[in-house]
């Protein structure tokens, strides 16, 4: 019943053009449904973050413009639009796999995302069909559509019509180099400095792929694999010598992804498309696609630039592997096993990040269990977290957690104090990652 009430609330908020709270409420409903079904998609930390976001947006309403998304149009038709693919990412579970395919809408200077949920299958991801073409072709191609629509959150909808068509062709050699400066990063230091002025994520516009960009690369060094974290890492340099850490975690549903990525990086790529995040004072890139030194385009099994696709007539098949100089989409690539050098020892421990992470986990457990029914172990974890925060110099965060403990089990003050602590810790963790 609560999930149904949340869905109704989300619809009401959307009707009132309060798009960001509506999106939070809809995601909360999904989390609750996953918990009820004992689905692996339920994430207590994410659930707690969503609750805090609702409180944060409510508190900031009236003081921070755009915090509720009321100025956004619910859905925008994109007439005769050209979109440039920036790769694809797999997520979800083997029972409920999801792909997110990213596209640059150069005219608007934004990135839009096409979501698709799939049925379980042993078929290679790159050869699976979507909109009359292969997923590999779509994720590394140029799309021209007369039926595209974009939501306020920049989710993309592409439909098939009798008269209006959608065509997919391989990317040309200058497709990424001609993107506007809002999407193409040539100076990593300038880009990082520009982002430092952003408000916290809890009250920013709630748009998808807000951090996805194309980075122009002059050199890649230090390619290596961390077997403990199951992560491929490399250092990416721009023309000015500024660096970013490229970091790609292992995805069980795409077991060859890291091998394909390592091969593409060893070829001396010209561009990397992916999500950029502030991390430890620098930038971290989670790659979705890599363009080789020639960037000739090409998708599917051959990578030849003459292939085309259409929602009306079908298109080539493909596995996601490409020839040298083309576009590599790691999550869709077959890849050959790579003999990767191991990364040197583990990084030094980050006591601040560890204290914040433990405290956020304790707060998530408290929300999951219910503030009126906390068990002794959860109370102990909260008290220990407050002590750890104080020892690392985060005195205000520690006080917020202790104020929550002091209010329990009182039903009146406890929820507000939980929100106080959760918002403060999430924002502190974000600022700490920025460096």
């Amino acid at each position: 019943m609560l999930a149904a009430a949340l869905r109704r609330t989300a619809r009401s908020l959307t009707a009132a053009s309060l798009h960001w709270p509506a999106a939070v409420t809809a995601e909360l409903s999904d989390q609750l449904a996953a918990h009820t079904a004992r689905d692996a998609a339920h994430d207590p930390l994410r659930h707690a973050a969503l609750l805090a976001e609702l409180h944060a947006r409510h508190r900031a309403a009236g003081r921070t413009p755009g915090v509720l998304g009321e100025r956004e149009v619910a859905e925008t038709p994109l007439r005769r639009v050209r979109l440039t693919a920036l790769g694809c990412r797999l997520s979800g579970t083997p029972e409920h796999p999801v792909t997110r395919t990213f596209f640059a809408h150069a005219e608007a200077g934004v990135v839009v995302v096409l979501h698709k949920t799939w049925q379980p299958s042993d078929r290679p991801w790159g050869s699976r069909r979507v909109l009359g073409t292969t997923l590999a072709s779509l994720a590394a191609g140029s799309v021209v559509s007369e039926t595209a629509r974009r939501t306020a959150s920049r989710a993309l909808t592409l439909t098939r019509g009798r008269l209006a068509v959608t065509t997919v062709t391989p990317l040309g050699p200058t497709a990424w180099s001609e993107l506007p400066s809002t999407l193409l990063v040539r100076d990593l230091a300038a880009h990082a400095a520009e982002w430092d002025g952003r408000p916290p994520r809890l009250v920013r516009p709630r748009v998808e792929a807000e951090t996805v960009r194309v980075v122009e690369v002059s050199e890649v060094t230090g390619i290596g694999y961390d077997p403990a974290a199951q992560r491929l890492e490399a250092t990416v340099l721009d023309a000015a010598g500024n660096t970013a850490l490229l970091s790609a975690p292992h995805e069980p549903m795409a077991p060859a992804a890291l091998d394909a990525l390592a091969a593409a990086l060893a070829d001396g790529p010209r561009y990397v498309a992916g999500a950029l995040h502030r991390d430890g004072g620098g930038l971290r890139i989670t790659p979705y696609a890599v363009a080789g030194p020639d960037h000739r385009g090409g998708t599917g099994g051959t990578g030849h630039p003459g292939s085309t696709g259409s929602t009306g007539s079908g298109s080539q098949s493909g596995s996601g592997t490409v020839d040298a100089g083309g576009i590599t989409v790691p999550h869709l690539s077959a890849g050959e096993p790579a003999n990767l050098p191991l990364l040197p020892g583990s990084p030094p421990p980050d006591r601040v990040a560890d204290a914040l992470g433990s405290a956020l986990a304790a707060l998530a457990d408290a929300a999951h269990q219910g503030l009126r029914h906390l068990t002794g172990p959860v109370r102990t974890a909260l008290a220990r977290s407050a002590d750890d925060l104080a020892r690392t110099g985060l005195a205000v965060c520690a006080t917020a957690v202790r104020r929550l403990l002091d209010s329990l089990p009182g039903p009146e003050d406890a929820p507000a104090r939980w929100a106080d602590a959760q918002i403060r810790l999430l924002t502190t963790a974000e600022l700490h990652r920025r460096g």
Side-chain angles (χ1 to χ4, degrees):
M1 292 180 64
L2 180 56
L6 285 170
R7 287 192 292 270
R8 288 195 300 271
T9 301
R11 288 193 293 269
S12 298
L13 289 167
T14 299
S17 295
L18 302 178
H19 299 297
W20 308 151
V24 179
T25 307
E27 195 174 344
L28 272 172
S29 175
D30 292 341
Q31 282 289 320
L32 184 60
H35 176 261
T36 302
R38 298 185 178 182
D39 193 305
H42 175 68
D43 181 351
L45 288 172
R46 181 60 183 158
H47 190 185
L50 290 168
L51 291 172
E53 185 177 347
L54 270 183
H55 282 277
R57 292 189 183 278
H58 179 261
R59 294 177 182 187
R63 299 193 302 273
T64 306
V67 74
L68 301 179
E70 69 274 18
R71 299 179 181 180
E72 301 291 328
V73 179
E75 192 173 69
T76 302
L78 306 176
R79 304 300 184 192
R80 189 66 181 178
V81 66
R82 179 180 293 275
L83 303 171
T84 302
L86 303 179
C88 180
R89 185 180 188 185
L90 295 174
S91 60
T93 64
E95 294 77 22
H96 303 287
V98 177
T99 57
R100 291 191 297 160
T101 308
F102 304 91
F103 298 92
H105 183 195
E107 185 178 349
V110 300
V111 175
V112 293
V113 187
L114 179 67
H115 293 258
K116 182 168 176 58
T117 302
W118 302 80
Q119 293 298 319
S121 171
D122 293 331
R123 188 175 181 182
W125 281 103
S127 64
R128 299 192 189 194
R129 309 291 294 184
V130 55
L131 294 169
T133 187
T134 63
L135 183 57
S137 299
L138 187 68
S142 177
V143 177
V144 177
S145 178
E146 298 173 351
T147 62
R149 305 181 74 85
R150 186 188 81 194
T151 68
S153 63
R154 298 180 192 167
L156 177 69
T157 301
L158 292 170
T159 57
R160 303 176 65 173
R162 291 185 176 181
L163 299 178
V165 297
T166 297
T167 61
V168 181
T169 56
L171 291 177
T174 61
W176 285 1
S177 64
E178 293 176 346
L179 291 174
S181 60
T182 54
L183 300 178
L184 177 59
V185 177
R186 290 191 163 96
D187 187 329
L188 288 165
H191 182 74
E194 178 185 335
W195 274 5
D196 283 344
R198 296 185 303 170
R201 184 197 56 78
L202 289 176
V203 293
R204 285 205 302 271
R206 208 174 198 273
V207 296
E208 299 197 48
E210 67 165 340
T211 65
V212 175
R213 299 290 187 275
V214 172
V215 178
E216 187 172 20
V217 175
S218 66
E219 187 180 358
V220 177
T221 64
I223 303 173
Y225 179 68
D226 182 346
Q230 293 189 298
R231 183 181 299 275
L232 177 74
E233 292 189 351
T235 300
V236 173
L237 285 76
D238 65 15
N242 302 306
T243 63
L245 177 66
L246 184 145
S247 181
H250 172 67
E251 171 50 61
M253 289 187 292
L258 297 189
D259 297 314
L261 176 61
L265 294 176
D267 258 352
R270 187 179 176 190
Y271 299 100
V272 173
L276 276 68
H277 302 282
R278 277 296 236 157
D279 185 25
L283 281 174
R284 180 187 292 264
I285 304 172
T286 302
Y288 301 150
V290 178
D294 298 329
H295 193 191
R296 293 194 299 272
T299 60
T302 65
H304 295 308
S307 303
T308 61
S310 166
T311 58
S313 60
S315 69
Q316 81 220 48
S317 64
S319 65
T321 56
V322 296
D323 61 355
I327 304 293
T328 297
V329 181
H331 276 197
L332 306 182
S333 296
E336 296 294 330
N339 185 18
L340 298 173
L342 298 182
L343 291 170
S346 302
D350 186 336
R351 293 177 58 240
V352 172
D354 290 345
L356 288 167
S358 297
L360 285 168
L363 287 170
D365 287 342
H368 181 78
Q369 196 169 101
L371 298 180
R372 295 183 183 180
H373 309 288
L374 290 190
T375 59
V378 175
R379 289 173 177 268
T380 300
L382 287 169
R384 185 171 56 247
S385 295
D387 292 341
D388 290 343
L389 290 167
R391 277 193 294 269
T392 55
L394 300 176
V396 179
C397 291
T399 299
V401 175
R402 286 176 178 141
R403 289 185 73 237
L404 169 63
L405 279 167
D406 291 343
S407 70
L408 296 174
E412 295 183 1
D413 294 341
R417 292 192 178 185
W418 179 92
D420 291 342
Q422 180 77 359
I423 291 169
R424 181 166 292 279
L425 265 65
L426 284 172
T427 304
T428 302
E430 180 180 352
L431 293 174
H432 179 65
R433 286 192 297 271
R434 292 186 190 180

